[in-house]
Amino acid sequence: MTGIKDAKCVLVVGATAGIGRALALAIHDLDNNPTVIVAGRRQDRLDELAKRRERIQTARVDINTTHDKLKQFVGGVLSEHPNLDAVILSSGIQHIFDFKKPETIDFNKIDDEFNTNYVAVLKLIVLFLPHFLKLSAEGRPSFIIPITSGLAIQPKADVPNYCATKAALHSLDLSLRAQLADTQVRVIEILPPLVESELHDHQGMTPRLSKVWMPLDEFTKQVMEGLVRGDPQVTAGFASKVLEKYEKDKRESVEEAFKNK
């Protein structure tokens, strides 16, 4: 099966910390020696990553921006890296909302969360697709790899909007994979459980969550095994259990229904 081991040039959006950063380093170290482009808001962290590996290059972007700026970003990446054949979409933010105190809910945070976790990711996929479909017509595989969450399937009630954004992206992945099934564009969804990261630092929850989350190194190892195999859905820990419990055969049924429409 075609997997990330077959990619020549991989863009990781949201590579300044956590899962994105770990995957960028792990993919760089694969035997196929891919070029890895790390993208994110914090240039100092991108530069630090580039110093750690010889084939890492940087591209600064804040995906919570306008359509035109996203289009400029994609155009710039493809101009500098016409061999790009994989995109990992790892950017994400998470906020706590208490619906018993509706006066405390910040609509700007809701907008930022939904745009960063879903709308901008959808736009980036659409903007990269013409390039990937061109590769497909040439017989070359490519990879769209969004990172959702086990919370897309079983929500955590204190982060309701985050769960909704990941559920939207999870649903999009199922449809996208079905529509692209007869092309060489591979859609691989990563569904993490609670993983060691900076995602919760601003919530003050890190000390408590650090007692129960999956260590980042362990998660990265399991995910890389799935990416190398080319599994359509790559999970670990809690996310594996909820995917099996609530969505067994769902991906196949979506693909079959689209095929027979």
Side-chain angles (χ1 to χ4, degrees):
M1 187 182 295
T2 305
I4 200 68
K5 65 185 183 301
D6 302 298
K8 295 179 174 59
C9 182
V10 182
L11 169 67
V12 183
V13 179
T16 57
I19 292 172
R21 184 181 187 278
L23 288 178
L25 292 170
I27 289 169
H28 174 278
D29 293 343
L30 290 172
D31 291 341
N32 54 316
N33 297 323
T35 297
V36 177
I37 310 154
V38 292
R41 293 183 293 109
R42 293 171 283 190
Q43 187 64 49
D44 58 332
R45 293 201 177 188
L46 299 177
D47 292 340
E48 184 272 331
L49 263 177
K51 291 176 182 177
R52 292 174 63 94
R53 299 291 194 276
E54 58 181 325
R55 294 184 315 281
I56 288 185
Q57 301 185 32
T58 70
R60 187 179 181 281
V61 66
D62 181 353
I63 68 170
N64 188 17
T65 187
T66 65
H67 169 74
D68 287 342
K69 288 185 177 179
L70 288 178
K71 189 173 182 180
Q72 290 173 11
F73 167 70
V74 171
V77 168
L78 293 177
S79 176
E80 290 188 33
H81 305 279
N83 213 29
L84 182 78
D85 53 4
V87 176
I88 297 177
L89 298 153
S90 180
S91 298
I93 55 175
Q94 184 184 96
H95 295 294
I96 295 172
F97 295 108
D98 184 352
F99 288 150
K100 286 186 176 180
K101 300 176 182 177
E103 70 279 0
T104 68
I105 293 177
D106 185 335
F107 289 153
N108 289 323
K109 287 184 177 179
I110 288 179
D111 290 344
D112 288 348
E113 195 169 41
F114 213 87
N115 192 51
T116 300
N117 296 357
Y118 178 71
V119 176
V121 174
L122 169 59
K123 289 180 178 180
L124 286 172
I125 290 171
V126 172
L127 290 168
F128 277 114
L129 265 174
H131 172 71
F132 287 161
L133 290 171
K134 182 175 180 291
L135 294 183
S136 177
E138 297 169 358
R140 287 184 53 190
S142 60
F143 304 89
I144 296 173
I145 307 175
I147 297 181
T148 61
S149 172
L151 299 181
I153 301 168
Q154 182 173 305
K156 187 170 182 287
D158 57 348
V159 287
N161 194 54
Y162 176 84
C163 298
T165 65
K166 293 300 186 177
L169 187 56
H170 171 60
S171 179
L172 176 70
D173 292 345
L174 295 172
S175 298
L176 189 64
R177 187 180 298 107
Q179 288 199 23
L180 297 174
D182 60 351
T183 75
Q184 293 292 313
V185 184
R186 308 295 185 221
V187 179
I188 299 177
E189 179 185 6
I190 299 175
L191 298 99
L194 176 64
V195 176
E196 174 187 359
S197 75
E198 298 175 5
L199 184 66
H200 315 282
D201 286 359
H202 72 284
Q203 302 167 343
M205 296 170 61
T206 297
R208 177 169 63 85
L209 295 179
S210 65
K211 297 176 182 178
V212 295
W213 63 27
M214 176 178 282
L216 182 58
D217 288 347
E218 180 183 342
F219 172 77
T220 303
K221 180 178 181 295
Q222 292 188 34
V223 166
M224 286 303 299
E225 290 171 355
L227 291 178
V228 166
R229 289 191 302 265
D231 296 349
Q233 291 173 309
V234 180
T235 67
F238 152 82
S240 300
K241 295 176 182 178
V242 297
L243 186 68
E244 174 67 19
K245 181 176 181 179
Y246 296 115
E247 300 212 348
K248 184 176 175 60
D249 302 325
K250 182 177 181 178
R251 173 176 54 80
E252 293 85 349
S253 67
V254 171
E255 294 172 5
E256 187 65 25
F258 182 77
K259 188 187 305 180
N260 297 326
K261 71 179 189 303

